Amino acid sequence: MPFHIVLVEPEIPANTGNIARTCAATGTHLHLVRPLGFRTDDATLKRAGLDYWYAVNLTYYDSFAEVKERFKDNRFFFASTRADKRYSDMAYRDGDLFVFGKETKGLPQELLDEHPDTLIRMPMTDKVRSLNLANSAAIVVYEALRQNDFPGLFD
């Protein structure tokens, strides 16, 4: 079972397109939780994903509860600037889901409160509020892949 990236209410099509391209390159499944801040036929979304959309395993959901129900036996890690643990301090395994919130607000506080042991963050200076969503998703999924010796990927 591959890794999974879950985007909860993403707002910027270029970020989602870039994440889709990362998913295509790594065999990571992409899950999008509505409402989305763009149309899925948006030219920006398609341009950012280039011609790799055929290689993306993509699923849409109407709520995060649907994702949790479908993957109730998997582990979830929630990326947040409010987390205390570094993403690189966690031990990831096949089938883990990495959850990211909308670009302007991050994940809802209730999700963070429900999962205090699996909140992760990327270290950064105090000069910025956060990293770009697409960059954050790539950082986390590549760390998980590195820890598992890049299963199914070619050097």
Side-chain angles (χ1 to χ4, degrees):
M1 186 185 315
F3 290 108
H4 303 263
I5 292 176
V6 180
L7 302 181
V8 178
E9 301 180 10
E11 300 168 311
I12 301 173
N15 284 334
T16 300
N18 284 319
I19 292 167
R21 186 173 180 177
T22 296
C23 288
T26 61
T28 301
H29 291 198
L30 179 58
H31 307 270
L32 301 180
V33 179
R34 296 180 184 102
L36 308 180
F38 48 85
R39 293 187 334 266
T40 54
D41 63 348
D42 189 301
T44 306
L45 177 72
K46 290 184 187 222
R47 186 169 48 251
L50 296 176
D51 56 348
Y52 300 112
W53 282 101
Y54 74 92
V56 178
N57 188 334
L58 175 63
T59 308
Y60 294 94
Y61 302 87
D62 290 321
S63 71
F64 184 72
E66 287 180 38
V67 180
K68 282 186 73 170
E69 177 60 29
R70 179 173 175 193
F71 295 96
K72 59 185 166 213
D73 296 328
N74 295 59
R75 299 185 316 162
F76 288 79
F77 292 89
F78 299 83
S80 173
T81 58
R82 295 169 284 196
D84 293 325
K85 296 178 185 138
R86 283 187 253 167
Y87 76 98
S88 55
D89 291 339
M90 305 300 262
Y92 303 113
R93 63 179 184 239
D94 205 23
D96 285 345
L97 290 94
F98 306 114
V99 184
F100 298 86
K102 61 174 75 177
E103 290 90 339
T104 58
K105 295 181 182 174
L107 290 167
Q109 188 62 47
E110 60 269 12
L111 268 184
L112 303 178
D113 292 342
E114 290 172 15
H115 306 280
D117 295 334
T118 56
L119 301 181
I120 57 174
R121 68 176 288 127
M122 273 63 58
M124 66 184 101
T125 71
D126 61 357
K127 307 277 189 271
V128 297
R129 285 186 310 278
S130 64
L131 292 173
N132 172 273
L133 179 62
N135 292 340
S136 296
I139 288 167
V140 172
V141 80
Y142 266 94
E143 173 62 15
L145 290 164
R146 184 197 65 78
Q147 288 182 14
N148 289 272
D149 200 29
F150 299 99
L153 302 183
F154 304 101
D155 289 330

